[in-house]
Amino acid sequence: MTEPSAPSPAVPDPSELSEPVRIDAGGWGFTWVGDGQGVLRQVGLGPSGHSATVDVDPRFYPSAFPTWGDEDPFRPSALRVTHADGATTTRLVVADASRSGETGEEHIVVHLSDELQALDVELHVRTHSSGVLEQWVEITHDEPGPITLFDYDSLFPFLLIDQAAELVQFGGAGWADEWRWTTQQLHPGTTSLASFGGLQPHLQRNPVILLSPDGPSTEDDGAVIAMSVAWGGNTRIDLDVRPAPDAEQPRTLRLRAGANPVGAEYTLDPGERFVTPTVAWTWSDDGRRTTTRRFHEWTRSRVLRAPERLRPLVVNNWEATFFDFDEDRLRGLIEAAADLGGDVFLLDDGWFGTAHPRDDDTTSLGDWDHDPTKLPHGLAGVADIAAENDIRFGIWVEPEMVNPVSELHERHPEWVLRDEREPRLHRNQLALDVLHSEVREFAAGVVDRTIASAPSTSYVKWDANRPITDPSSATLSADRRSNLWVDHVRATWELMSTVAERHPDIELMLCASGGGRTDHGTLRYFHEFWTSDNTDPVTRVRMQWACGHFFPASTMAAHVTRWGERPMPFAAAVALSARFGIDLDLATVSGDERDVLREAVEIARRTQDLVQQGELVRLLSPVEPAPGPGAGPDALPSDGAALAYLSPDRHRAVVFAYRLDGPAGVGSSVRHLPLHGVGTDDYDVRSTDLDGTTTHDVIGGESLRSTGLEWSPAGPCSARIWELTRR
Ligand code: GLA
């Protein structure tokens, strides 16, 4: 046996090339080219990837979208299909490419067709002026019967990476542990970051990564790729690393991202179109500050509803009362919330159920009529109290869910997601099957009727407190039950979009047992999300830090609570660095605590435009070992954190610094926080610890930039806030 001959690396005959497809994302990009055989190749990727030249035979470049059964039997593929005739191989060739739109708003489509089968695949790329690229794939076919998709990634780039390449992944142990930051080296083998559970998959793992292909990066230095899968269901990001043959050469990485196809093979009928989730990503050569700025710009422009509108200061009753309230208790809370200066009073779980009052989480989901015992004058009565106190009214719903103990379940036991087995309960409840159009109409109607019962309602918190455990829908035939995982996301988005369209002026908070639905796909129908049920400010500093790499602070609801029993000035200062709110029993807060809250509300008023719409600059990381002596792979995370938000014109800024708990580390010593990015003029600086001490100073811009603000932490769980205004 002889080795099969490889093509010789000669300079290609240009006649063999189709026109290169150059994707200029703004400061980075890539080039695709069809080789002589029509296979789409990735010629360049990275900061100059869009201007790459083809200087060897294009067949030596990696395939841009490998399929199962094409040239590389040693790597996984982006697309794996069983065709109508049972064949399992797919070989795609370029049919054509099209381009529309202006620079920064381009839409590029490369159309591929199978050599043999009547299968068409479109690779879609959309640019955005921020430098974030959106990529997705659309699959259609005209085969003589249905085909089955086993792998359907949204993108599959090839990268050369350093031995020291690093990955940051975000995900923890589950509920109350969202956004946990883990930095790891990328070793040979496949690192698979997959999520499961369908309805609230991001409780386990946020569908985002940061990748430093050349080794560790910092805020202002090094190559960084930031990526987000905009999908409200199970996702998968796989990093398949191969060792370099010798130390002089880089390792190779195949990065795949999209919906998680495990258990979710998709049966596609002829003429139907399968659209993969959009994956958004960007590449910076100068550190994470740039990837963050780009993601924030892109999120505001392409994802968020009403990005220009300041988010309200929400006072919620959940942690204050849980299910234990009546109209009188709410009146007290509303009056106190209004007295403090809140914008919205949000009535959480427990307000509904007539045959089965909702006094705990065992009953009533599905029965969305107010509980007449707790609320004798209905929701309208509570909304009226809010109106009398000049505060807006908001309400909590969980429209996709049902408790077996409910009138809805008695009427429609067939409306739940389940297979032949007895469905499993999770938080005592079942998920409604939103694949039924009737169920979607019911769920949208829950929001309609709830708002109609208190027409001054202007804010809704939409919750979903369980995963999918019995994945089957009566709407799916026996041979396509596994379509559920994809179709469920689409049906849910259809429902959410109906609600958003019917109630364009209602502000919507997205919640799923905390941050179980924090993805850029689902967020399109909402204004903000509940970042996590975990509101311990020490944990929240780290969660908000991580989340802020992808989402602007306007999206991250952060409420002052008693979680962790931390000092009130510290808890308030942490909430002030995101979308500020309060979730406390205001009847029992002490006079001192009320003073802290009052001052916090004043600071929120002065700084919310900066926090929600300014540019985030991170100064001291609470999730990575602090720089300085003792730093190294085994060093503890810093016990300090500092971040700033700057106005676009640099006339104003707000800076937050936190000393966390635990043994004193680098965050507990006096330190300086240089503020790059401020102007050179003098700034009025107002500094407060929220404990009654406020000082005023004038500091020159040059000094702020070089020496920085001086901070000597008062001890564990303390904070300082500086407000800067150019003189
Ligand atoms: C979930 C949410 C909480 C609260 C409760 C109510 O856990 O994340 O904020 O609304 O449900 O049951």
Side-chain angles (χ1 to χ4, degrees):
M1 291 265 291
T2 54
E3 287 283 296
S5 59
S8 59
V11 176
D13 172 357
S15 65
E16 281 190 350
L17 298 174
S18 65
E19 200 55 29
V21 179
R22 298 194 184 280
I23 313 284
D24 182 353
W28 72 288
F30 56 82
T31 301
W32 283 339
V33 69
D35 69 12
Q37 274 74 47
V39 177
L40 190 70
R41 304 281 175 183
Q42 178 194 307
V43 174
L45 168 63
S48 52
H50 46 295
S51 48
T53 51
V54 184
D55 34 42
V56 294
D57 185 323
R59 284 173 292 170
F60 278 96
Y61 291 101
S63 159
F65 195 72
T67 53
W68 187 256
D70 70 4
E71 65 189 10
D72 188 352
F74 302 111
R75 291 260 193 185
S77 51
L79 180 67
R80 189 159 63 90
V81 181
T82 295
H83 296 276
D85 63 4
T88 59
T89 59
T90 297
R91 290 185 192 168
L92 300 175
V93 291
V94 182
D96 56 60
S98 68
R99 207 176 252 281
S100 56
E102 305 289 304
T103 306
E105 284 288 337
E106 278 185 298
H107 185 176
I108 299 106
V109 185
V110 178
H111 181 180
L112 312 169
S113 304
D114 191 277
E115 292 170 347
L116 199 62
Q117 307 279 359
L119 175 76
D120 287 302
V121 175
E122 291 169 3
L123 308 185
H124 289 253
V125 186
R126 205 171 155 219
T127 66
H128 182 251
S129 52
S130 61
V132 170
L133 270 188
E134 298 164 23
Q135 269 183 259
W136 71 97
V137 176
E138 301 193 8
I139 302 163
T140 52
H141 74 95
D142 198 18
E143 297 189 21
I147 65 171
T148 310
L149 309 174
F150 286 90
D151 278 304
Y152 36 82
D153 292 303
S154 302
L155 47 70
F156 212 89
F158 177 90
L159 292 95
L160 300 175
I161 60 167
D162 193 89
Q163 311 253 357
E166 266 186 6
L167 169 72
V168 182
Q169 57 157 308
F170 302 82
W175 178 76
D177 198 30
E178 303 92 325
W179 290 106
R180 181 177 282 277
W181 176 290
T182 306
T183 307
Q184 64 196 76
Q185 258 198 294
L186 267 185
H187 296 295
T190 302
T191 303
S192 186
L193 306 176
S195 62
F196 296 88
L199 246 153
Q200 34 176 231
H202 316 325
L203 275 190
Q204 325 286 323
R205 179 162 278 138
N206 298 97
V208 294
I209 56 162
L210 294 173
L211 174 67
S212 305
D214 300 339
S217 57
T218 66
E219 284 300 318
D220 302 306
D221 199 30
V224 188
I225 294 167
M227 180 176 279
S228 168
V229 184
W231 187 237
N234 302 343
T235 58
R236 177 177 72 180
I237 302 176
D238 275 4
L239 302 104
D240 179 18
V241 177
R242 299 294 160 101
D246 62 66
E248 303 302 303
Q249 292 184 38
R251 291 174 169 167
T252 61
L253 163 67
R254 272 290 187 181
L255 174 57
R256 73 188 325 176
N260 182 1
V262 171
E265 59 269 24
Y266 199 92
T267 302
L268 188 71
D269 284 316
E272 259 191 312
R273 180 169 288 259
F274 183 89
V275 181
T276 71
T278 295
V279 172
W281 63 312
T282 190
W283 183 315
S284 148
D285 234 14
D286 55 4
R288 295 178 201 152
R289 184 169 160 185
T290 299
T291 56
T292 296
R293 183 174 37 75
R294 289 180 183 167
F295 255 93
H296 288 190
E297 267 178 55
W298 172 77
T299 304
R300 289 188 178 111
S301 147
R302 289 263 172 89
V303 178
L304 260 195
R305 293 183 58 197
E308 70 297 341
R309 189 149 101 192
L310 283 182
R311 276 28 181 173
L313 197 162
V314 176
V315 180
N316 189 7
N317 73 311
W318 177 243
E319 300 253 339
T321 66
F322 296 107
F323 298 96
D324 183 17
F325 58 82
D326 57 18
E327 194 183 274
D328 274 349
R329 191 158 181 211
L330 295 181
R331 180 188 298 278
L333 277 173
I334 291 170
E335 286 170 356
D339 175 57
L340 272 178
D343 294 316
V344 172
F345 174 75
L346 168 61
L347 175 57
D348 213 283
D349 196 357
W351 59 267
F352 50 93
T354 48
H356 311 281
R358 174 100 167 151
D359 293 329
D360 55 35
D361 62 17
T362 60
T363 71
S364 328
L365 289 172
D367 301 347
W368 297 98
D369 291 317
H370 73 271
D371 172 353
T373 312
K374 283 182 191 159
L375 306 178
H377 306 100
L379 283 185
V382 188
D384 285 349
I385 299 171
E388 283 158 24
N389 284 279
D390 210 14
I391 187 167
R392 289 161 48 195
F393 180 64
I395 191 70
W396 176 97
V397 290
E398 199 180 354
E400 303 149 84
M401 298 288 163
V402 64
N403 286 113
V405 184
S406 67
E407 292 177 279
L408 178 68
H409 194 257
E410 283 155 27
R411 276 200 314 279
H412 287 294
E414 77 288 3
W415 271 11
V416 301
L417 280 178
R418 60 170 295 180
D419 62 9
E420 292 73 14
R421 300 170 204 277
E422 200 46 41
R424 273 168 296 179
L425 295 178
H426 208 97
R427 208 198 191 205
N428 305 300
Q429 66 197 59
L430 297 165
L432 291 176
D433 181 357
V434 293
L435 274 68
H436 274 291
S437 56
E438 231 186 329
V439 172
R440 283 200 298 280
E441 191 41 51
F442 167 82
V446 168
V447 181
D448 299 343
R449 284 196 311 279
T450 304
I451 293 171
S453 72
S456 61
T457 304
S458 66
Y459 184 100
V460 171
K461 173 178 177 183
W462 179 325
D463 210 339
N465 280 311
R466 60 158 289 156
I468 296 174
T469 52
D470 303 87
S472 196
S473 164
T475 64
L476 295 169
S477 59
D479 59 342
R480 52 196 71 195
R481 284 188 178 190
S482 55
N483 286 14
L484 178 87
W485 297 102
V486 167
D487 288 350
H488 185 267
V489 178
R490 292 179 177 156
T492 306
W493 282 357
E494 193 179 324
L495 165 61
M496 290 170 166
S497 135
T498 303
V499 169
E501 273 166 29
R502 285 188 195 167
H503 305 285
D505 297 327
I506 297 279
E507 275 174 293
L508 281 176
M509 179 202 259
L510 173 59
C511 177
S513 299
R517 273 180 165 166
T518 40
D519 63 87
H520 285 103
T522 312
L523 189 59
R524 288 173 300 162
Y525 310 107
F526 292 81
H527 295 79
E528 57 186 26
F529 50 73
W530 184 227
T531 318
S532 172
D533 276 353
N534 191 331
T535 48
D536 178 341
V538 170
T539 319
R540 270 304 187 103
V541 166
R542 297 195 167 106
M543 285 183 176
Q544 291 164 199
W545 182 272
C547 185
H549 281 72
F550 298 90
F551 293 96
S554 61
T555 63
M556 286 186 247
H559 293 182
V560 186
T561 73
R562 297 264 179 218
W563 196 314
E565 298 296 332
R566 311 294 184 180
M568 190 70 75
F570 176 65
V574 172
L576 278 167
S577 68
R579 200 287 277 133
F580 181 75
I582 298 171
D583 199 340
L584 288 168
D585 185 353
L586 294 172
T588 61
V589 295
S590 69
D592 285 353
E593 289 174 330
R594 192 176 301 274
D595 290 344
V596 171
L597 292 173
R598 210 175 281 289
E599 193 179 358
V601 170
E602 282 168 19
I603 294 175
R605 290 290 171 230
R606 291 197 300 267
T607 61
Q608 60 183 355
D609 64 322
L610 288 170
V611 171
Q612 296 183 21
Q613 297 176 341
E615 185 183 335
L616 170 63
V617 180
R618 289 177 292 258
L619 305 171
L620 173 63
S621 170
V623 295
E624 289 164 300
D634 299 325
L636 290 171
S638 160
D639 64 345
L643 65 161
Y645 296 96
L646 272 56
S647 67
D649 61 8
R650 304 297 193 252
H651 284 197
R652 291 165 58 228
V654 58
V655 183
F656 299 91
Y658 306 109
R659 158 79 163 92
L660 307 181
D661 62 348
V666 70
S668 40
S669 52
V670 177
R671 66 163 45 238
H672 290 93
L673 303 167
L675 252 189
H676 309 291
V678 293
T680 49
D681 296 341
D682 285 351
Y683 283 80
D684 279 320
V685 179
R686 173 192 184 125
S687 131
T688 176
D689 286 3
L690 273 173
D691 61 357
T693 40
T694 302
T695 58
H696 293 270
D697 222 337
V698 177
I699 309 182
E702 290 294 359
S703 164
L704 285 169
R705 277 147 62 135
S706 52
T707 314
L709 293 162
E710 185 182 302
W711 177 45
S712 49
C717 296
S718 62
R720 175 161 300 175
I721 302 169
W722 293 266
E723 294 165 67
L724 279 65
T725 313
R726 203 162 107 173
R727 281 171 82 91

